[in-house]
Amino acid sequence: MAEQLSQSELDYPFKLLEYFNGFRVSKVIFSACELGVFDLLLQSQKSLSAESVSQELQASQDGMERLLDALVGIDILDVEITHGKAFYSSTDVANLYLAKASPKSLYNMITYQSQTIYPLWNHLADAVREGKNQNEKTLNMSSDQIFETLYRSEEEMLKFMQLMHATWVVDTHDVVTAFDLSPFKTMVDVGGCTGGLARELAKAYPGSTVTVFDLPKVVEVAKKHFSVPDDSIAFQEGDFFTGELPEGDLYIVARIIHDWKEEKCLQLLHKLCERCKPDGGILIVEAMLNENRRGPVMTQLFSLNMLVQTEGKERTPSEYFRLLSSAGFKDLQVRRTGKSYDCILGIK
């Protein structure tokens, strides 16, 4: 049952008011990233006044002071008052995840959310009424051509790929170690984009080869912008719906199934099962809903995002089990990571 509100909440709706203001909190973080607040504070290695920050970032002092105060209020920044003057400094969380220079930076994820996702969510009510994405209203692009919209220019493709790459900054280790995948010696990351997940797989399972299989233009951008010295993975070009799949012991399908309607999901899963070696497997990586539909709230929000941007949705483990069983996979197991993404392993 839903949690019963306390009398104090009924007398004054603190939680509801916090939710109402959620979009403002998001925009505070988005704007601070775009303005370069966190990068400046990390580089300075000392507390700065609003005046100093505004001068360095060419912003108004009044506006910057209000923004910095809001960041203190949500525990992203810290503040000390010296002789009546406020001096602001970064927290460890801001330095680790919000500054571009950090190896764990989520900056690209945040800017994509602000510049692309946020405008789409202005049309959420329309998406719910119509049951389709809002790319046409927001971006003047066809609602039927999902990835043509995401990849409408090299600049936009790079932004999307940076988003996907940033996703694996915080979730990759839990995903690749959810199951012992060492028996699978030939792994194929289907739609593996920049190779962020694939490289973590190669690190965790040095006895296996890992290949990223994605569209030619995606592979080209991945090699141009995301290559690393002495790379431990390979790239292969192709279309997983229309082209021939590389042969593999294990197919990793991470954040792919949630993009599509059921018939396209089954089309891909059948194809993967047919191509899979005997006793090979499939690893599904997705944000999964609870069976009782009571959470996780982040996944429920992800599912709404699939509505406004794609033609897919998030699913429960039992829904994924049904799809995988229909495609021919068996011995299905689910592992909850306790983070954003969970895993299902199936065997051919």
Side-chain angles (χ1 to χ4, degrees):
M1 294 178 62
E3 179 184 351
Q4 294 297 311
L5 294 177
S6 66
Q7 186 59 48
S8 62
E9 188 70 23
L10 293 174
D11 291 339
Y12 192 86
F14 289 99
K15 184 175 285 189
L16 277 177
L17 290 173
E18 183 179 345
Y19 291 160
F20 293 167
N21 283 284
F23 75 96
R24 292 188 174 98
V25 173
S26 298
K27 212 51 176 162
V28 163
I29 298 171
F30 295 165
S31 300
C33 278
E34 291 173 21
L35 289 165
V37 170
F38 305 114
D39 304 302
L40 175 63
L41 290 173
L42 177 62
Q43 292 163 10
S44 72
Q45 296 293 311
K46 65 179 181 179
S47 299
L48 297 176
S49 66
E51 179 182 11
S52 297
V53 175
S54 62
Q55 287 176 351
E56 287 288 338
L57 301 179
Q58 298 182 322
S60 73
Q61 182 176 338
D62 177 44
M64 184 57 68
E65 185 173 59
R66 299 185 201 200
L67 182 64
L68 295 172
D69 284 342
L71 290 164
V72 170
I74 58 174
D75 297 324
I76 300 287
L77 296 183
D78 201 358
V79 66
E80 289 186 5
I81 307 299
T82 304
H83 304 302
K85 191 171 185 178
F87 290 86
Y88 302 88
S89 59
S90 272
T91 60
D92 290 341
V93 166
N95 285 336
L96 188 61
Y97 294 116
L98 301 179
K100 280 189 284 188
S102 169
K104 288 197 170 185
S105 177
L106 301 179
Y107 175 85
N108 289 319
M109 178 189 293
I110 290 163
T111 54
Y112 192 86
Q113 298 272 8
S114 178
Q115 296 170 7
T116 302
I117 304 297
Y118 198 90
L120 284 163
W121 274 68
N122 284 330
H123 300 287
L124 177 60
D126 292 329
V128 172
R129 270 192 293 266
E130 299 164 9
K132 67 177 185 178
N133 68 63
Q134 297 301 298
N135 290 325
E136 190 169 342
K137 285 192 184 74
T138 310
L139 305 169
N140 198 29
M141 299 289 293
S142 170
S143 296
D144 299 323
Q145 305 296 319
I146 305 303
F147 279 87
E148 285 79 354
T149 298
L150 292 172
Y151 298 160
R152 59 192 179 274
S153 68
E154 183 171 335
E155 180 185 2
E156 290 300 322
M157 186 192 309
L158 179 58
K159 287 179 183 178
F160 178 74
M161 291 174 69
Q162 287 171 332
L163 162 73
M164 298 300 292
H165 198 74
T167 297
W168 298 125
V169 166
V170 290
D171 285 293
T172 318
H173 179 74
D174 297 283
V175 164
V176 303
T177 58
F179 295 97
D180 177 12
L181 304 178
S182 59
F184 303 105
K185 301 304 180 185
T186 308
M187 301 181 183
V188 179
D189 188 359
V190 179
C193 200
T194 67
L197 178 60
R199 290 186 182 94
E200 192 69 24
L201 278 162
K203 187 191 302 183
Y205 304 103
S208 301
T209 62
V210 186
T211 300
V212 171
F213 183 70
D214 216 318
L215 296 170
K217 57 186 177 182
V218 173
V219 171
E220 180 183 354
V221 174
K223 288 181 176 179
K224 181 178 178 181
H225 294 281
F226 300 94
S227 61
V228 298
D230 302 318
D231 209 346
S232 56
I233 63 172
F235 285 87
Q236 183 170 331
E237 299 176 358
D239 185 318
F240 54 66
F241 279 122
T242 62
E244 184 178 356
L245 294 163
E247 190 175 58
D249 297 319
L250 180 71
Y251 291 99
I252 297 96
V253 187
R255 301 188 70 201
I256 300 294
I257 300 299
H258 74 164
D259 288 329
W260 307 103
K261 293 179 181 178
E262 184 162 317
E263 54 267 30
K264 292 198 87 169
C265 296
L266 285 170
Q267 177 190 341
L268 175 58
L269 293 173
H270 275 290
K271 187 174 180 178
L272 288 166
C273 192
E274 289 172 5
R275 186 61 168 151
C276 193
K277 294 179 181 178
D279 297 319
I282 187 170
L283 182 72
I284 300 291
V285 181
E286 295 285 4
M288 297 185 195
L289 294 163
N290 294 337
E291 297 290 347
N292 64 7
R293 298 287 174 169
R294 295 189 179 277
V297 66
M298 191 64 69
T299 306
Q300 292 164 330
L301 295 174
F302 284 167
S303 199
L304 281 171
N305 195 72
M306 293 296 99
L307 175 64
V308 299
Q309 193 176 23
T310 72
E311 59 182 53
K313 65 177 183 178
E314 308 298 352
R315 296 173 170 87
T316 63
S318 63
E319 289 175 311
Y320 282 112
F321 277 27
R322 179 175 56 80
L323 290 172
L324 288 162
S325 296
S326 297
F329 291 101
K330 59 187 180 181
D331 299 330
L332 302 171
Q333 303 175 67
V334 62
R335 289 283 189 278
R336 294 283 195 178
T337 67
K339 307 287 179 61
S340 296
Y341 299 101
D342 302 310
C343 302
I344 291 175
L345 181 65
I347 304 300
K348 180 174 178 179

